[in-house]
């Protein structure tokens, strides 16, 4: 009995227009900056038209990437609300694949922009096994005090009664063909807005480490410290952190070089360091584990894994020969691929946009027995 499980940061699946760019130039879209728009009503009308046109292309590409993943259960990040999820699933995904995700779950989390994690599921797996939801729980209300996680590093930017999860850790108890399976879906603190830090990733690291400790605490409280490794669970989501990356040097004219680099510190170490959770992406070649291309010009480029399906120790051992798949056909053409890893992009994909997302979906087939 097998299950196809996927995770995808769909990137700003919104139902709202953002008109703040009229008064705040830093929030104005670059296309709008080409025009001298002096009154707010005209700006709002143009921005609405721009967003409608670009969103249609973007969501067709998002749906193509999800269709290629062909998951039985799909974990999503950056979903505005249930209305956005339903409109996308019916208007784009269902029309494309003809077999949509009837079951949709989203609980409001803590994100200041209102983006949440969500899960969509089919009635049954591709093998015909029934997928049942037994229970669903949000942990968005948990604070540092609740789990005794507050420390000196967190004091620099947080208070003891602040929420641990900057979005949520959404917990789902499932039965797949009668077999228990627990799913934990999250979207950790972004690598930005670091206070008094020249390295945004390291500056925000204590927050992500607390989130990871919180996830582990939830799992260990649920199953027991000694028993947690022996149950079927997976942790899915955008972790906004990496344990390694592929550093890119060069440009289109002179060519590129690619150098794998291991990181000395990562929040993920708190899950994988003692094999509490296993990252099966490590079974792929070191040049072929990335799910996101990061660039701030030719001097700062790298490929890294931000999107994870982490498995319990027993589930990883049962699927020792299974390897995660990465859907990269929705990446924009500006993404620099290592030699031999190039893929054919979806129709209408642009240099920077439209694209399916800045992230790649990750999908894995798992044997549960």
């Amino acid at each position: 009995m097998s299950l196809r499980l996927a995770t995808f940061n769909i990137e700003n699946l919104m139902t709202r227009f953002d008109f703040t760019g009229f008064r705040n130039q830093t929030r104005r879209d670059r296309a709008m900056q080409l025009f001298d728009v002096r009154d707010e009503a005209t700006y709002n009308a143009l921005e609405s038209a721009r967003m409608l046109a670009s969103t249609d292309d973007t969501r067709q590409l998002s749906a193509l990437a999800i269709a290629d993943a062909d998951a039985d259960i799909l974990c999503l990040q950056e979903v505005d609300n249930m209305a956005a999820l339903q409109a996308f699933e019916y208007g784009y995904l269902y029309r494309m694949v003809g077999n949509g995700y009837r079951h949709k779950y989203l609980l409001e989390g803590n994100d200041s922009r209102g983006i949440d994690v969500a899960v969509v599921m089919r009635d049954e797996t591709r093998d015909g096994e029934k997928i049942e939801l037994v229970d669903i729980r949000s942990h968005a209300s948990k604070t540092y005090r609740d789990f005794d996680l507050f420390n000196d590093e967190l004091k620099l930017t947080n208070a003891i009664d602040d929420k641990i999860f900057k979005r949520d850790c959404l917990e789902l108890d499932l039965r797949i063909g009668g077999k228990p399976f627990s799913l934990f879906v999250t979207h950790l603190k972004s690598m930005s807005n670091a206070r008094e830090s020249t390295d945004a990733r390291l500056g925000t690291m204590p927050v992500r480490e607390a989130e990871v400790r919180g996830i582990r605490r939830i799992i260990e409280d649920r199953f027991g410290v000694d028993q947690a490794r022996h149950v079927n669970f997976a942790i899915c989501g955008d972790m906004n952190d990496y344990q390694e990356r592929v550093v890119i040097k060069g440009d289109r004219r002179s060519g590129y070089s690619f150098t794998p680099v291991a990181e000395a510190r990562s929040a993920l170490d708190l899950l994988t360091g003692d094999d509490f959770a296993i990252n099966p992406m490590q079974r792929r070649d070191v040049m072929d584990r990335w799910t996101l291309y990061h660039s701030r010009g030719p001097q700062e480029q790298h490929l890294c894994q931000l999107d994870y399906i982490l498995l319990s120790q027993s589930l990883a051992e049962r699927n020792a020969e299974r390897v995660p798949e990465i859907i990269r056909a929705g990446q924009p053409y500006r993404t620099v691929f290592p030699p031999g890893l190039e893929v054919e992009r979806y129709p209408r994909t642009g240099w920077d946009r439209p694209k399916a997302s800045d992230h790649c979906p990750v999908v894995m087939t798992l044997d549960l027995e």
Side-chain angles (χ1 to χ4, degrees):
M1 180 178 64
S2 65
L3 167 74
R4 274 184 73 81
L5 176 65
T7 186
F8 183 31
N9 182 328
I10 198 168
E11 191 183 10
N12 295 326
L13 181 60
M14 296 288 195
T15 58
R16 298 164 282 154
F17 292 112
D18 182 0
F19 298 125
T20 58
F22 179 72
R23 302 185 185 280
N24 184 349
Q25 287 283 342
T26 63
R27 296 183 63 86
R28 184 174 296 192
D29 184 80
R30 59 179 180 260
M32 291 292 289
Q33 290 178 354
L34 295 172
F35 298 91
D36 182 16
V37 182
R38 300 190 180 187
D39 68 273
E40 190 166 2
T42 302
Y43 176 86
N44 290 352
L46 290 172
E47 177 62 12
S48 299
R50 184 195 70 81
M51 277 298 298
L52 282 171
S54 71
T55 297
D56 184 50
D57 281 340
T58 295
R59 294 313 164 202
Q60 289 187 64
L61 299 175
S62 301
L64 276 168
I66 293 171
D68 278 351
D70 194 22
D72 303 315
I73 299 176
L74 171 65
C75 307
L76 293 168
Q77 300 86 50
E78 296 200 13
V79 179
D80 193 3
N81 51 41
M82 184 60 76
L85 186 57
Q86 290 174 331
F88 168 71
E89 192 274 338
Y90 179 74
Y92 290 86
L93 191 56
Y94 176 75
R95 289 173 180 271
M96 183 171 295
V97 301
N99 180 19
Y101 293 88
R102 291 192 173 187
H103 307 285
K104 307 172 186 66
Y105 305 98
L106 181 152
L107 300 177
E108 293 294 328
N110 299 321
D111 188 87
S112 60
R113 291 195 294 139
I115 54 173
D116 299 306
V117 299
V119 177
V120 297
M121 305 187 309
R122 301 194 191 280
D123 288 321
E124 57 184 31
T125 69
R126 295 195 305 170
D127 296 337
E129 299 290 347
K130 188 175 181 180
I131 302 174
E132 303 173 85
L133 176 71
V134 178
D135 198 7
I136 182 170
R137 289 176 288 275
S138 167
H139 296 280
S141 64
K142 295 297 183 183
T143 67
Y144 297 124
R145 187 191 298 274
D146 290 336
F147 284 174
D148 193 25
L149 292 176
F150 205 58
N151 57 33
D152 289 339
E153 284 188 304
L154 288 169
K155 285 180 183 178
L156 298 174
T157 55
N158 296 267
I160 191 169
D161 289 313
D162 285 351
K163 304 295 193 297
I164 297 170
F165 300 109
K166 300 312 163 190
R167 282 89 180 189
D168 197 357
C169 174
L170 189 62
E171 178 182 358
L172 292 88
D173 292 335
L174 303 165
R175 288 193 176 276
I176 314 297
K179 299 293 182 181
F181 176 68
S182 292
L183 184 59
F184 301 86
V185 187
T186 195
H187 183 186
L188 300 189
K189 167 68 179 173
S190 63
M191 293 181 281
S192 62
N193 300 322
R195 182 180 177 182
E196 298 177 0
S197 173
T198 56
D199 187 322
R201 176 175 172 269
L202 292 179
T204 53
M205 184 72 70
V207 178
R208 283 190 300 280
E209 288 178 335
E211 290 181 294
V212 169
R213 288 189 177 98
I215 295 169
R216 181 161 179 166
R217 169 73 177 271
I218 289 165
I219 296 172
E220 291 181 335
D221 283 355
R222 170 77 190 285
F223 300 109
V225 174
D226 295 329
Q227 290 301 314
R229 300 167 186 266
H230 306 296
V231 300
N232 287 337
F233 76 74
I235 306 167
C236 294
D238 175 1
M239 304 301 182
N240 268 317
D241 209 343
Y242 45 83
Q243 294 170 310
E244 61 188 10
R245 58 192 170 123
V246 177
V247 175
I248 303 170
K249 297 293 184 183
D251 53 40
R252 296 174 66 198
R253 181 178 181 184
S254 60
Y256 297 100
S257 65
F258 302 84
T259 306
V261 175
E263 298 296 326
R265 180 182 180 185
S266 170
L268 279 301
D269 297 341
L270 300 172
L271 288 173
T272 64
D274 62 350
D275 290 338
F276 174 80
I278 307 298
N279 179 13
M281 197 74 83
Q282 295 294 313
R283 299 168 186 171
R284 297 176 69 103
D285 184 81
V286 68
M287 302 292 284
D288 193 23
R289 300 168 184 166
W290 57 274
T291 66
L292 181 131
Y293 166 68
H294 169 83
S295 172
R296 289 182 180 171
Q299 301 307 312
E300 185 180 340
Q301 302 177 83
H302 68 248
L303 300 163
C304 63
Q305 181 189 3
L306 294 189
D307 306 275
Y308 294 80
I309 298 176
L310 300 174
L311 306 177
S312 69
Q313 194 173 76
S314 64
L315 193 56
E317 290 172 355
R318 188 177 302 114
N319 291 275
E321 303 302 316
R322 299 280 193 180
V323 178
E325 304 164 40
I326 308 170
I327 311 300
R328 297 189 178 122
Q331 282 287 288
Y333 280 94
R334 68 180 180 87
T335 300
V336 181
F337 282 66
L341 297 180
E342 298 88 350
V343 298
E344 182 179 352
R345 308 302 210 281
Y346 297 134
R348 295 180 65 83
T349 298
W351 175 252
D352 179 55
R353 61 186 186 189
K355 59 184 181 292
S357 170
D358 49 352
H359 294 251
C360 300
V362 176
V363 61
M364 189 172 184
T365 299
L366 299 172
D367 294 325
L368 298 182
E369 62 176 9

